[in-house]
Amino acid sequence: MQLSIYTKNPHARAISHLLAKNPATVYERKVKGHAVRFAYHKMTDDELYASIFVTPDSLALVKDNEAYDITHYINDREFAVSTIFLSLIRSALGTALNGKPKEEYIQYAAMDFPFTFEFGPISSSLSDEEIRGLWEPLGYDVTIDTMADARRARFLTLFNTISLKKALQQIFIIIPVMDDYKHYYIDEAERERLENYGEGWLETHPMREFIYKKALRFKQLLLNEENEQKVDKPSLNTRRYETIARTVTALKPKTVIDMGAGEGKLSILLAQIDSITKLYSVDPSNHALAKMEKRFADHQFATTPIIKWGSLYYEDQEFAGADVFVLCEVIEHIDEERLPQIMQLITQNYMPQHLIITTPNAEYNTVYELTEMRHDDHRFEWDRNQFEAWCKAVAPNYDLHFEGIGSVDEQYGAPTQMCIMTRRDSHAI
């Protein structure tokens, strides 16, 4: 099974950096026992043609109790393009999926290019018309080739002028909708991924309801069409932001730094807190800053956020002495070996009165029945003991308070863990 990417344009070499793969070598990794390879068929100044493909390990398939036995009707393939395929290649395509290449190439992440995507075989009970209905509203020209000896097994060719990030995110949402054999339990983590990858296009798709039903497959997780709210409870993202906002409100700060603010969803809540006179919404992505600016234009604030480019890799004296410094789901996106230097910058140079950190609780992935990390760009995910030990090690001059956020499992705790650090010469929370 494979996914191929082709483009002809003057920025072809820049796109290879979006993919974060060296054209001079073949990328090869073992993922859950299966071989994942990424190779360039052609790489010139104005043309790129590459494929990522998986060679399954038959022993691994047997060990998984035939969970991957989804293509018995295909004679020449052990494995079809499916949710399983996506789970195996997600890490290899993580940089492209998240639009976070090296800084000098970040401008290309949001640019549209003429792409052709080919993938297959895909097993689907959907008709060709239904498949076209999934892709054509997004601007794709669709070609469907059916295997002669397997009517439901098809190869798709898609053409569109689109950013690589958006196209891959659409592929990662729509392939599971087409897949007859969605193999893993769907819970809040999958809903978050659907929200993240679908932002900006899924809410206006004419088959939106069908996509949600096929992608999530559990009624309690579907959107209520009447009021656009979740039927069961707020999403984990919402609960996380609300918990942080309540915590910050109780601290009565004047200056707050929302570092890694992304598109500004948390900053919108923080900007309603009356005590705050200065709120910095900081992110290293110019694309995120532009989306933040657009989002803020639609809101009224007690304190208007200051949108600012910034990174934890560079010191900015404007952040020194802040009352509250927030790292909401940030540290897991940083290589572990770089974290001590970053924490030294925050705790010894900036010296905030309070530092609030949230990160996934890896133990809770068992509740989700996930065998991978929750996000393609995560460098690590810690259990509760690991997180607590790390906090104690990197913040010796701070008192620590730990909380869980989200639905609590008796054995595995909450899906998100939060540490509130208070400098010892500050008032306790």
Side-chain angles (χ1 to χ4, degrees):
M1 62 219 173
Q2 67 180 41
L3 166 67
S4 295
I5 303 169
Y6 175 82
T7 185
K8 188 171 184 178
N9 73 80
H11 303 292
R13 291 199 183 276
I15 293 170
S16 72
H17 289 276
L18 300 184
L19 291 164
K21 300 292 177 289
N22 186 346
T25 62
V26 174
Y27 169 97
E28 184 169 356
R29 297 289 188 276
K30 286 283 189 179
V31 181
K32 304 174 189 173
H34 310 290
V36 177
R37 297 181 179 89
F38 184 103
Y40 290 86
H41 309 291
K42 189 169 187 177
M43 184 70 256
T44 66
D45 288 343
D46 63 357
E47 195 169 9
L48 179 153
Y49 181 30
S51 294
I52 186 165
F53 52 99
V54 173
T55 303
D57 181 340
S58 57
L59 291 178
L61 300 182
V62 173
K63 287 177 183 177
D64 283 341
N65 296 320
E66 299 183 347
Y68 293 167
D69 183 19
I70 65 174
T71 55
H72 55 278
Y73 50 85
I74 300 177
N75 297 326
D76 61 345
R77 302 268 180 161
E78 291 181 73
F79 213 90
V81 167
S82 63
T83 53
I84 304 166
F85 173 68
L86 297 180
S87 72
L88 296 174
I89 69 171
R90 185 176 283 120
S91 177
L93 293 179
T95 300
L97 271 165
N98 293 290
K100 294 182 179 178
K102 291 182 179 179
E103 196 169 306
E104 57 265 39
Y105 298 100
I106 195 73
Q107 61 177 311
Y108 298 100
M111 293 176 69
D112 292 343
F113 300 104
F115 281 111
T116 298
F117 300 92
E118 301 171 321
F119 57 85
I122 182 87
S123 165
S124 182
S125 59
L126 300 182
S127 67
D128 286 359
E129 183 179 358
E130 288 172 318
I131 290 175
R132 292 182 187 281
L134 290 169
W135 297 103
E136 289 179 348
L138 302 174
Y140 291 93
D141 293 331
V142 183
T143 300
I144 303 173
D145 295 315
T146 303
M147 296 179 66
D149 60 345
R151 184 177 57 83
R152 293 200 311 171
R154 281 160 280 188
F155 288 84
L156 268 66
T157 302
L158 309 174
F159 174 81
N160 199 359
T161 299
I162 192 172
S163 72
L164 180 62
K165 173 185 174 181
K166 179 177 284 188
L168 288 176
Q169 290 185 344
Q170 290 171 347
I171 286 170
F172 269 67
I173 284 181
I174 295 179
I175 283 179
V177 173
M178 298 166 59
D179 182 9
D180 285 342
Y181 294 87
K182 194 168 179 72
H183 70 291
Y184 51 82
Y185 177 74
I186 303 304
D187 209 310
E188 203 166 62
E190 184 70 9
R191 181 173 65 190
E192 286 190 61
R193 181 171 288 158
L194 190 68
E195 290 172 349
N196 292 335
Y197 286 0
E199 186 166 4
W201 63 271
L202 182 53
E203 60 269 23
T204 59
H205 196 291
M207 294 181 69
R208 171 178 170 276
E209 183 178 1
F210 176 80
I211 291 171
Y212 268 95
K213 286 180 178 178
K214 291 282 285 185
L216 294 179
R217 308 211 179 171
F218 284 88
K219 290 182 179 179
Q220 68 269 27
L221 296 179
L222 299 179
L223 290 177
N224 183 323
E225 295 296 327
E226 293 182 359
N227 59 17
E228 298 295 301
Q229 299 296 318
K230 304 296 186 295
V231 173
D232 56 340
K233 61 192 175 191
S235 71
L236 181 57
N237 269 337
T238 299
R239 298 173 78 178
R240 187 185 300 126
Y241 297 149
E242 290 177 346
T243 300
I244 293 172
R246 284 196 300 270
T247 301
V248 173
T249 300
L251 297 173
K252 295 181 170 54
K254 293 183 178 179
T255 303
V256 175
I257 314 296
D258 182 8
M259 176 60 73
E263 297 170 12
K265 294 178 181 178
L266 172 60
S267 289
I268 286 173
L269 294 183
L270 297 177
Q272 310 299 334
I273 298 174
D274 291 337
S275 69
I276 296 177
T277 58
K278 188 174 288 187
L279 169 63
Y280 290 96
S281 300
V282 188
D283 202 90
S285 166
N286 288 323
H287 181 61
L289 297 178
K291 295 191 77 170
M292 198 187 304
E293 185 172 2
K294 184 177 179 180
R295 186 183 298 274
F296 290 171
D298 298 328
H299 289 80
Q300 296 292 323
F301 301 111
T303 298
T304 301
I306 301 168
I307 299 174
K308 184 176 176 66
W309 184 94
S311 168
L312 288 168
Y313 301 130
Y314 305 99
E315 183 172 0
D316 188 330
Q317 279 302 313
E318 281 194 78
F319 302 154
D323 298 303
V324 175
F325 202 102
V326 180
L327 297 176
C328 175
E329 307 299 285
V330 169
I331 62 170
E332 63 272 12
H333 295 273
I334 301 170
D335 293 330
E336 284 190 66
E337 61 269 20
R338 305 189 75 170
L339 286 176
Q341 181 180 355
I342 285 169
M343 290 302 295
Q344 182 177 358
L345 170 66
I346 296 172
T347 61
Q348 297 184 29
N349 293 28
Y350 295 154
M351 297 179 64
Q353 299 292 309
H354 306 279
L355 172 60
I356 299 173
I357 301 176
T358 70
T359 193
N361 169 19
E363 296 166 79
Y364 204 87
N365 291 351
T366 302
V367 179
Y368 291 146
E369 295 190 9
L370 288 175
T371 56
E372 58 189 26
M373 288 190 283
R374 296 186 207 173
H375 197 284
D376 315 308
D377 192 47
H378 286 185
R379 304 301 198 263
F380 62 87
E381 289 179 0
W382 288 330
D383 62 30
R384 286 169 291 177
N385 289 335
Q386 289 172 311
F387 181 53
E388 291 186 17
W390 177 80
C391 290
K392 292 173 183 176
V394 297
N397 298 321
Y398 283 73
D399 292 321
L400 310 180
H401 172 76
F402 294 93
E403 292 184 17
I405 300 174
S407 301
V408 177
D409 180 86
E410 185 175 342
Q411 181 176 356
Y412 300 111
T416 294
Q417 47 190 338
M418 178 172 69
C419 180
I420 306 164
M421 301 180 175
T422 300
R423 216 172 68 205
R424 292 214 171 94
D425 58 358
S426 304
H427 295 292
I429 63 171

